[in-house]
């Protein structure tokens, strides 16, 4: 003959629209919770006041409720949320006037009716204020077009620098150090394209299309373009130097992480590994790239001095 069923301690609280039940059972397994004919049926194995056992109880609610309770199990307890069919304040939880012994108020969440009405009023006011603020902000009719443009821009730049990186890496594996000396002649066209297109980043910042600060963008883009178009474009002797390989390689690695990060940000996606790479790889690469860029500038200065001092002598000898 089976003994009487074990009932767990249950604490309850309410709001105008919801009922909260906290079942004092830890390590709950296989909870069976259902509402039929306005009666909540609960059965589960867990650790309660009588140790590790099967506990069960039934609650017939005072007024109609929705038949689908929401259950959340934690290591220490089980929480059940039940929606009332009508928004009102109940004088008690159960249809029977005498409160069951296993049932007690949840003082951690308990509010009286006036406090609950105040809470409800504050939530409604907060919702109304939020709607007012949103209504004051004019909707941009071109936001989808702008987002599409930014996605395409970052995608094109990513593909361009990916081509540079892959091409240089493959040539390095095949040719070894010999690939250093003709980097400019094989890669310059794509680098010209990418760095010319990068001027759009300055325009994007100027017109407020992106939130990136203007000055750092100007310094980086014009600094690179000065090296690429002015120094390398005017000094053929420099084009075959190994330093060109390292500068182009460092630039491409940095952009391989920067442009995908911006592209995903346009659609509200953040991938943590990519975020880490985008804000970390520049730490070793920027100083190395800056050192290599400094070689260009110094070489150009020395070359000008050479022409200044040796050029007139050559003309006098003729």
């Amino acid at each position: 003959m089976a003994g009487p069923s074990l009932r767990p301690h249950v604490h309850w609280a309410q709001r105008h629209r919801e009922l909260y039940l906290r079942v004092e059972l830890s390590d709950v397994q296989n909870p069976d919770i259902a509402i039929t004919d306005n009666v909540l049926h609960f059965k589960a194995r867990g650790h309660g006041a009588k140790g590790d056992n099967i506990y069960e109880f039934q609650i017939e609610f005072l007024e109609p409720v929705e038949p689908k309770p929401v259950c959340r199990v934690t290591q220490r307890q089980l929480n059940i949320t039940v929606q009332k069919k009508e928004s009102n304040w109940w004088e008690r939880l159960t249809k029977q006037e005498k409160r069951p012994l296993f049932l007690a108020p949840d003082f951690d969440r308990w509010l009286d009716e006036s406090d609950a009405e105040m809470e409800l009023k504050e939530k409604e006011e907060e919702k109304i204020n939020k709607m007012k603020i949103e209504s004051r902000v004019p909707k941009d009719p071109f936001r989808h077009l702008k987002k599409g443009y930014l996605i395409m821009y970052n995608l094109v730049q990513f593909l361009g620098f990916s081509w540079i990186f892959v091409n240089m890496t493959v040539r390095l594996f095949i040719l070894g150090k010999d690939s250093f000396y003709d980097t400019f002649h094989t890669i310059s066209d794509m680098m010209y394209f990418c760095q010319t297109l990068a001027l759009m980043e300055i325009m994007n910042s100027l017109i407020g299309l992106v939130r990136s600060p203007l000055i750092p963008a100007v310094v980086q883009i014009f600094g690179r373009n000065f090296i690429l178009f002015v120094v390398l474009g005017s000094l053929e002797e420099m084009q075959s130097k190994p330093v060109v390989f390292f500068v182009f390689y460092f630039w491409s690695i940095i952009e391989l992480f920067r442009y995908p990060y911006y592209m995903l940000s346009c659609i509200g996606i953040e991938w943590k590994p990519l975020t880490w790479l985008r804000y970390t790889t520049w730490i070793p690469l920027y100083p190395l790239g800056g050192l290599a860029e400094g070689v260009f500038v110094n070489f150009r200065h020395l070359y000008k001095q050479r022409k200044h001092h040796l050029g007139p002598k050559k003309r006098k000898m003729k």
Side-chain angles (χ1 to χ4, degrees):
M1 180 177 177
S5 61
L6 300 177
R7 290 185 175 83
H9 294 299
V10 180
H11 302 271
W12 78 283
Q14 69 171 314
R15 298 295 185 270
H16 284 85
R17 286 292 305 173
E18 295 174 325
L19 300 169
Y20 305 113
L21 301 176
R22 175 163 54 88
V23 184
E24 295 297 329
L25 285 179
S26 60
D27 300 323
V28 174
Q29 300 175 17
N30 305 320
D32 184 9
I33 304 169
I35 296 177
T36 56
D37 298 328
N38 213 45
V39 177
L40 173 69
H41 302 271
F42 175 92
K43 185 176 182 179
R45 173 173 287 277
H47 190 86
K50 298 295 183 179
D52 189 11
N53 276 295
I54 294 177
Y55 293 83
E56 58 183 317
F57 65 86
Q58 291 83 37
I59 295 177
E60 185 176 6
F61 294 111
L62 178 66
E63 296 184 19
V65 297
E66 298 293 341
K68 293 183 179 180
V70 177
C71 175
R72 186 171 64 88
V73 179
T74 68
Q75 188 175 0
R76 299 180 58 185
Q77 61 193 24
L78 184 145
N79 298 290
I80 304 171
T81 303
V82 179
Q83 297 288 329
K84 299 177 181 178
K85 282 200 172 180
E86 295 184 2
S87 179
N88 56 40
W89 197 256
W90 293 4
E91 62 182 31
R92 61 180 185 272
L93 178 66
T94 61
K95 193 169 185 179
Q96 63 184 84
E97 294 186 7
K98 186 178 180 181
R99 177 173 59 85
L101 295 177
F102 68 90
L103 197 61
D106 186 350
F107 292 108
D108 292 336
R109 305 190 70 166
W110 192 266
L111 294 177
D112 58 28
E113 185 173 4
S114 59
D115 291 335
E117 288 177 351
M118 184 65 68
E119 182 187 71
L120 184 62
K121 184 178 180 182
E122 289 176 355
K123 288 183 178 179
E124 290 178 350
E125 289 178 351
E126 183 180 350
K127 185 177 180 180
I128 292 172
N129 291 334
K130 185 178 179 181
M131 293 175 62
K132 287 181 179 178
I133 293 173
E134 290 177 350
S135 65
R136 291 173 190 166
V137 179
K139 292 185 178 180
D140 186 357
F142 302 105
R143 63 184 182 279
H144 296 300
L145 184 63
K146 292 176 181 178
K147 184 182 293 186
Y149 156 72
L150 289 174
I151 291 173
M152 288 303 301
Y153 168 78
N154 288 292
L155 177 61
V156 170
Q157 287 287 58
F158 170 68
L159 293 175
F161 280 104
S162 296
W163 184 92
I164 293 172
F165 175 78
V166 172
N167 191 293
M168 293 179 67
T169 302
V170 171
R171 287 174 52 81
L172 179 62
F173 274 103
I174 295 175
L175 303 176
K177 293 182 179 179
D178 291 340
S179 67
F180 292 171
Y181 305 106
D182 63 347
T183 297
F184 183 83
H185 298 94
T186 56
I187 303 297
S188 60
D189 288 343
M190 182 59 73
M191 188 62 78
Y192 279 141
F193 170 79
C194 291
Q195 285 305 128
T196 301
L197 189 61
L199 293 171
M200 294 301 299
E201 294 182 32
I202 299 175
M203 183 61 65
N204 295 341
S205 183
L206 276 173
I207 64 178
L209 199 58
V210 296
R211 297 180 180 178
S212 302
L214 177 63
I215 300 301
V218 171
V219 171
Q220 177 179 313
I221 293 169
F222 276 97
R224 285 189 182 182
N225 285 351
F226 175 80
I227 296 296
L228 182 63
F229 290 96
V230 178
V231 177
L232 288 177
S234 61
L235 299 177
E236 293 184 5
E237 297 90 342
M238 200 64 184
Q239 294 174 2
S240 59
K241 300 296 181 182
V243 70
V244 178
F245 173 90
F246 294 103
V247 169
F248 282 11
Y249 210 60
F250 294 151
W251 287 356
S252 64
I253 293 174
I254 292 171
E255 306 304 12
L256 279 180
F257 304 119
R258 190 167 72 96
Y259 286 113
Y261 172 80
Y262 289 148
M263 183 171 60
L264 292 179
S265 297
C266 291
I267 54 178
I269 297 176
E270 181 180 359
W271 187 35
K272 290 185 178 180
L274 181 61
T275 302
W276 185 90
L277 289 169
R278 186 264 178 270
Y279 288 106
T280 306
T281 52
W282 66 269
I283 296 175
L285 294 178
Y286 263 107
L288 292 173
L291 179 63
E293 291 167 11
V295 172
F296 281 123
V297 177
N298 191 46
F299 185 92
R300 186 170 181 267
H301 173 69
L302 293 175
Y303 185 76
K304 279 188 174 182
Q305 285 188 329
R306 180 181 182 277
K307 287 181 66 177
H308 176 72
H309 291 286
L310 299 181
K313 291 182 180 179
K314 288 184 177 181
R315 284 196 296 268
K316 288 180 181 180
M317 292 174 63
K318 290 182 179 180

